[in-house]
């Protein structure tokens, strides 16, 4: 990408999209295109195609998606599969028809089998059963990957698929019904602290392992891959390190300064027992993460206090 290249960042108000926009501006890119959901509904086929034909972006970051935690995925599976399939279909096809030079599709680590060997290598894709709690979302992301690969094969496009691990950071979603684990824990502990609640109830046993990547690191990886990676095979983006949910909860409890008790509701699901990505492929290309988990959570907590 050149500094004057026309770049479209979809979902620019979301967690990942906003981080990509921040980094592009910081690096001196001056020709970015963004649209709010009210300005352009990516689930509307004609509207998306009209936008692409008119604007003709050269590079496309497909970071727009309907996302959520275990509760949201279990409650609204139809919304997750319908909206994500629609967004992917409309943006990828429109990028082809408008002759975009390159598209980066953001998938998810949930595309891997629930009981995949750990850490999860790219070749484990489609090699086993998915985690049931977010299966609809996973299937939609798998369809996006397959679509990019099929377009590359049939039309000669350069559409790449990036599989990030669990993302958190500035601009995260702190809604208790739809947030992921880090923002959910930050909010729970903070509200318990200011309300002087003696205890906080958390879902599951706390024994599941998860890997977390700060969103600004993901944005940096996306920019790196937009320039350095031109293959149809998926590529993982993460830290290569994980932590139990119990350890994570204790870390966030300490950062927030909540002194009450944690009660684990073991009747609630844990999700997949472990989800650690093998990032050796990306590391060999020359990219590694830079933000330590504690530092990233502290920055996210400060952002939460200022904005909520």
């Amino acid at each position: 990408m050149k500094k004057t290249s026309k770049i479209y960042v979809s979902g620019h108000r979301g967690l990942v999209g906003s981080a990509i926009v921040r980094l592009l501006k910081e690096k001196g890119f001056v020709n970015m295109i963004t649209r709010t959901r009210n300005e352009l509904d990516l689930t509307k086929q004609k509207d998306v195609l009209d936008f692409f034909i008119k604007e003709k972006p050269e590079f496309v970051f497909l970071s727009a998606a309907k996302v959520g935690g275990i509760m949201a995925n279990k409650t609204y599976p139809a919304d997750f599969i319908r909206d994500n399939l629609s967004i992917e279909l409309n943006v990828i096809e429109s990028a082809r028809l408008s002759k975009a030079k390159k598209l980066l599709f953001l998938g998810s680590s949930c595309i891997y089998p629930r009981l995949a060997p750990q850490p999860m290598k790219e070749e484990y894709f489609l090699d086993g059963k998915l985690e049931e709690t977010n299966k609809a979302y996973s299937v939609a992301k798998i369809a996006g990957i397959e679509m990019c690969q099929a377009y590359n094969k049939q039309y000669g496009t350069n559409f790449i698929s990036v599989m990030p691990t669990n993302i958190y950071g500035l601009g995260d979603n702190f809604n208790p019904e739809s947030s992921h684990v880090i923002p959910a824990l930050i909010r729970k502990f903070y509200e318990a602290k200011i309300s002087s609640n003696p205890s906080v109830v958390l879902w599951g046993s706390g024994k599941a392992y998860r890997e977390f990547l700060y969103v600004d690191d993901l944005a940096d990886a996306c920019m790196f891959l937009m320039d350095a990676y031109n293959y149809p095979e998926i590529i993982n983006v993460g830290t290569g390190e994980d932590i139990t949910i119990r350890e994570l909860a204790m870390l966030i409890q300490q950062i927030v300064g909540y002194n009450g008790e944690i009660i684990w509701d073991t009747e609630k699901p844990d999700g997949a027992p472990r989800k650690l990505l093998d990032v050796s492929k990306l590391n060999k290309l020359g990219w590694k993460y830079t933000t330590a988990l504690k530092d990233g959570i502290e920055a996210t907590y400060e952002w939460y206090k200022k904005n909520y």
Side-chain angles (χ1 to χ4, degrees), residues 75-289:
T75 309
Y76 307 108
D79 293 358
F80 276 88
I81 193 166
R82 180 195 62 235
D83 290 356
N84 284 302
L85 284 174
S86 297
I87 291 167
E88 294 159 10
L89 173 63
N90 295 338
V91 173
I92 292 170
E93 170 69 349
S94 296
R96 176 188 76 86
L97 290 173
S98 63
K99 296 181 170 54
K101 290 180 180 178
K102 191 168 183 180
L103 177 144
L104 184 149
F105 169 64
L106 273 159
S108 167
S109 60
C110 70
I111 55 103
Y112 289 110
R114 181 178 189 274
L115 299 177
Q118 302 290 320
M120 298 182 290
K121 298 181 179 180
E122 286 87 353
E123 54 260 39
Y124 299 158
F125 177 49
L126 294 181
D127 198 30
K129 291 186 177 181
L130 299 168
E131 162 62 33
E132 281 295 327
T133 54
N134 58 4
K135 187 177 180 181
Y137 176 75
S138 304
V139 168
K141 287 297 184 180
I142 289 169
I145 296 166
E146 291 291 329
M147 193 172 178
C148 287
Q149 292 176 342
Y151 272 53
N152 292 340
K153 184 176 181 180
Q154 183 173 336
Y155 297 116
T157 51
N158 188 7
F159 295 168
I160 65 171
S161 299
V162 174
M163 299 305 113
T165 188
N166 299 289
I167 305 301
Y168 72 98
L170 314 188
D172 218 329
N173 169 27
F174 290 86
N175 185 316
E177 292 187 0
S178 59
S179 59
H180 285 108
V181 60
I182 286 181
L185 290 175
I186 287 174
R187 179 167 179 160
K188 272 185 177 258
F189 285 128
Y190 179 72
E191 290 184 346
K193 176 185 174 182
I194 62 173
S195 302
S196 299
N197 289 342
S199 64
V200 165
V201 178
L202 303 181
W203 275 32
S205 67
K207 295 178 181 178
Y209 282 82
R210 289 295 181 270
E211 175 186 13
F212 298 96
L213 180 69
Y214 191 54
V215 71
D216 286 18
D217 284 347
L218 175 59
D220 188 63
C222 287
M223 280 194 63
F224 174 83
L225 290 167
M226 187 64 99
D227 284 334
Y229 191 74
N230 297 290
Y231 302 97
E233 294 80 18
I234 63 176
I235 185 165
N236 291 336
V237 179
T239 64
E241 303 167 7
D242 60 4
I243 184 174
T244 66
I245 297 299
R246 187 178 292 267
E247 291 168 330
L248 176 71
M250 291 170 66
L251 174 61
I252 295 175
Q253 180 185 28
Q254 176 191 353
I255 289 169
V256 172
Y258 172 66
N259 298 317
E261 180 187 5
I262 298 175
I263 298 171
W264 295 93
D265 182 358
T266 55
E267 296 297 314
K268 297 294 193 299
D270 278 331
R274 196 178 190 194
K275 288 173 63 178
L276 176 64
L277 293 181
D278 184 314
V279 291
S280 56
K281 185 176 176 180
L282 179 59
N283 291 165
K284 285 175 184 176
L285 287 176
W287 188 91
K288 289 186 178 180
Y289 83 102

Side-chain angles (χ1 to χ4, degrees), residues 1-39:
M1 295 184 297
K2 297 176 182 176
K3 294 293 191 287
T4 56
S5 296
K6 203 167 193 180
I7 303 166
Y8 171 49
V9 182
S10 69
H12 75 286
R13 286 184 169 177
L15 175 62
V16 179
S18 61
I20 292 172
V21 168
R22 277 198 306 274
L23 187 58
L24 286 168
K25 287 179 178 177
E26 184 183 307
K27 299 267 186 193
F29 289 86
V30 295
N31 198 6
M32 275 180 291
I33 318 165
T34 58
R35 292 290 186 276
T36 65
R37 189 177 301 174
N38 288 337
E39 292 169 332

